[in-house]
Every structure is written in structure tokens, then in C-alpha cells.
Amino acid sequence: MSLAANLPSPPLSSSNHHNCKNSNGDGESSAEDPICQVKLPAPAFKWRLVIAYDGTNYAGWQFQQSPPTIQCFIEKALTRVTKLEREDLHIVGAGRTDAGVHAWGQEAHFLTPFKYECLEGVHTALNGVLPPDIRVREVSPAIPEFHARFSVTSKVYRYKIYNDPVMDPFQRYYAYHSAYKLKASAMREAAQHFMGSHDFSAFANASRNDRAPNPVKNIFRFDVVEQGALIQIEVEGSGFLYRQVRNMVALLLQIGREAIPPSIVPVILESRDRKELAKHALSVPPHGLCLVSVNYREDHLRLPSDCPPPSFGRTHTVSKCKLPFY
């Protein structure tokens, strides 16, 4: 791993402004502000991480020492690899997944006062000290304008339901078991009522902080796909309120059981009242939910000049057999 310290830094202003039109994501509690001021130290180099994790044994993403969180382990790994203090890294995640929620495409960024000449060594070192249920999938340089949270244009979440009388034991940590036979066509019809821009107050649990996020979200895609006994619900939106995705899935489950009709969705949306949803459905558990990907502004994903290429992991090869022949 080669470092080039004290090199000229890309221009980072002491304060950057971003329009915070995106939301937090399911299982998150931080609020949106019309304009968010982000103070960044200068000089500094910015680096982007794509992270996958099995959330079974963690209390979500957000940093806290006990119980352990994903951010806690990421920051400990970064401090060990970079030799910097936690406060110097300024790590920021795309959103706060809740306890027990998984991720394939969580994103984060961090800062260093030096520039790496090659990212493969850093990438290998991070995964070498992280627990096996947390993996860094990509490390790449980022331009100053990129922000893991404020540059977001949409997020994609997937919820898995195993619909069979007997649960597949290999799916037990990653899919919700429904022994009731579900009518997927009714769930698809209901899902279309979520499409577009709506006030989702009726589908949000109380936020865990004292600032009220914007309840109006835009849903771009809402798919219900059957794959044998597995039903996958995938939703893409501009942002999500706290537990919004799980609450929408809970209502779709009741509709799939044919306990209530698909036409109930606009009625609950228009009520803007969480108590109205509670009359028909309870929230589903977190282990079926996964943050699939975070999408960003294309112009903020440009790679900076004079920086190393992204690392997607080091490929190992064997040039010749090292075992003796007998």
C-alpha cells in the first residue's frame, strides 16, 4: 500500500451547501432540512465506499459503541488502516438502516489528508480487519461535491417473503415466513397505488429525533415478483420515512391474504394517520429487508483527476503449481 502524503489536495471549500431533497431510508431517523450546510476540513481527499453486510447481529448502521453497529466496525477498520483518528475521517453513510436490516449496496464516504496511489491495498486491508459479515465491495476516489447522503437521487429496498407452509431454513435470516397463501396479483395491484408523489405520514413510525422529516416522497418503482415460494417486493423511491418500507409491505401482506382489498391503499394514504394503518396491519420484522442500492447524481460520481482507479477487490491467480510432483 503506497501513500503519497502532503500532495496538493483537490479544492475542498470549508463549507459546501447541498439541497437535501432525498430522505433517510427505511430504518433511519435523521431529518431532512431544506438546505444543509456541510463543513469539510481542507485540505482533504475524499473516498467513497460501497458496503455489504448481514445485519443479523448488529444494531443497525448508526455509530454507537454498544450494542455494536456497522458504522462502528467500519470506523474501527478505517482508523486501523489509515492510522487516523475517528474524528479526522468524517465518515458519513447514505442512510441509517435499522437493527437487523441487511444491505448489499450501502454507501459511505470518508476523508484523509493524504492521497492514495493505489486503492487495492487499502481495500484488501479493510476487509482483512472487518468481521466476515461486513464486506467493503468497492473503494473509489470521489470529487469534493460528492456526499454519501446529500448526493442521493434514489434508494432501492427489497423485502423477501417466503410463502410456503414450511419455512426454508436457509432463508430464515433473510426472508419473512408467511404460511398464508398470498395472492401476488392483488399485491401488485395495491403496489401501484403507492407510485408517484404522496404524503406517507400514515406509513411512518414516530421519528427517533426531535426534527420532523418531510413526509412527501416520490415512489418511482414498486415491483412484486414471484420466484417459486419466494415473493420479492422491490421499491425505489426518492427517500423513505422511518420504517415506511416495512409498513407498506405489512399492508401488502394483508392484501395478499385477501383480508382487505387493494383499494384500501389510497384511503390510508389520504388519511395521513398512522393509526389508520394500524387498524389493518402491523409492521413486519426487519430481517426480510435489504438496502439493495443507492443511486447518485451522475455529475457527483465523476472521478477526480490524478487519483487512483477504483478498487473492486484484488484478484489472486496462481501462475504455476507450487506442489511437488511425485
Side-chain angles (χ1 to χ4, degrees):
M1 179 169 60
S2 177
L3 302 182
N6 301 319
L7 294 177
S9 65
L12 279 179
S13 60
S14 60
S15 65
N16 291 339
H17 293 80
H18 302 266
N19 289 323
C20 302
K21 295 181 180 178
N22 57 293
S23 176
N24 319 317
D26 190 79
E28 301 161 9
S29 61
S30 56
E32 296 177 20
D33 297 319
I35 297 293
C36 292
Q37 186 175 16
V38 184
K39 294 184 178 180
L40 299 177
F45 291 84
K46 185 175 284 189
W47 312 96
R48 172 174 164 244
L49 301 175
V50 181
I51 307 161
Y53 49 83
D54 179 336
T56 303
N57 298 317
Y58 299 96
W61 164 267
Q62 187 66 12
F63 182 90
Q64 60 186 55
Q65 289 287 357
S66 180
T69 66
I70 306 298
Q71 186 177 351
C72 177
F73 277 94
I74 292 291
E75 289 190 356
K76 284 181 179 178
L78 282 170
T79 56
R80 184 170 174 182
V81 171
T82 65
K83 310 302 182 186
L84 297 172
E85 297 298 323
R86 174 177 179 258
E87 294 75 15
D88 299 325
L89 292 166
H90 296 274
I91 187 168
V92 176
R96 304 180 183 183
T97 53
D98 209 355
V101 175
H102 314 293
W104 172 248
Q106 173 69 282
E107 303 243 4
H109 76 252
F110 68 97
L111 305 179
T112 61
F114 47 75
K115 183 172 73 172
Y116 288 104
E117 294 179 351
C118 176
L119 290 174
E120 282 191 350
V122 179
H123 194 172
T124 301
L126 285 174
N127 283 333
V129 297
L130 284 167
D133 50 3
I134 305 174
R135 294 290 91 177
V136 174
R137 292 175 48 218
E138 178 184 343
V139 184
S140 59
I143 60 173
E145 292 79 13
F146 173 80
H147 194 282
R149 179 182 169 199
F150 300 144
S151 298
V152 174
T153 57
S154 70
K155 295 179 183 177
V156 179
Y157 281 92
R158 180 184 298 145
Y159 197 93
K160 288 184 177 182
I161 302 165
Y162 195 78
N163 190 204
D164 192 81
V166 179
M167 181 60 180
D168 179 348
F170 297 104
Q171 296 281 347
R172 70 190 186 280
Y173 295 132
Y174 313 105
Y176 170 73
H177 180 216
S178 174
Y180 293 92
K181 181 61 180 175
L182 300 175
K183 188 176 181 180
S185 60
M187 296 169 73
R188 289 190 199 96
E189 181 184 342
Q192 295 310 300
H193 291 296
F194 288 115
M195 296 286 290
S197 184
H198 302 281
D199 184 323
F200 282 95
S201 297
F203 289 87
N205 284 24
S207 182
R208 293 175 293 182
N209 63 12
D210 57 358
R211 295 184 296 173
N214 181 4
V216 178
K217 308 298 170 193
N218 194 0
I219 302 298
F220 306 125
R221 178 169 59 87
F222 209 131
D223 301 326
V224 180
V225 179
E226 285 184 282
Q227 296 179 328
L230 198 63
I231 297 177
Q232 295 194 108
I233 298 173
E234 191 164 291
V235 56
E236 178 179 1
S238 60
F240 300 95
L241 299 170
Y242 179 46
R243 295 197 178 175
Q244 179 186 333
V245 175
R246 287 162 60 187
N247 288 332
M248 293 190 296
V249 170
L251 185 63
L252 290 185
L253 275 168
Q254 290 297 87
I255 293 169
R257 293 169 181 168
E258 299 186 90
I260 47 179
S263 58
I264 196 69
V265 175
V267 174
I268 296 175
L269 279 170
E270 290 169 12
S271 75
R272 301 180 184 179
D273 186 353
R274 178 69 178 82
K275 293 178 182 177
E276 189 64 29
L277 174 64
K279 295 176 184 178
H280 305 282
L282 300 175
S283 185
V284 290
H287 69 274
L289 187 65
C290 178
L291 174 58
V292 177
S293 62
V294 181
N295 300 313
Y296 289 100
R297 290 177 49 169
E298 286 295 330
D299 57 329
H300 284 191
L301 289 178
R302 290 183 294 106
L303 295 178
S305 58
D306 301 324
C307 276
S311 171
F312 300 95
R314 181 178 289 166
T315 301
H316 297 273
T317 59
V318 178
S319 58
K320 62 181 180 179
C321 182
K322 298 184 183 298
L323 296 176
F325 289 95
Y326 295 98

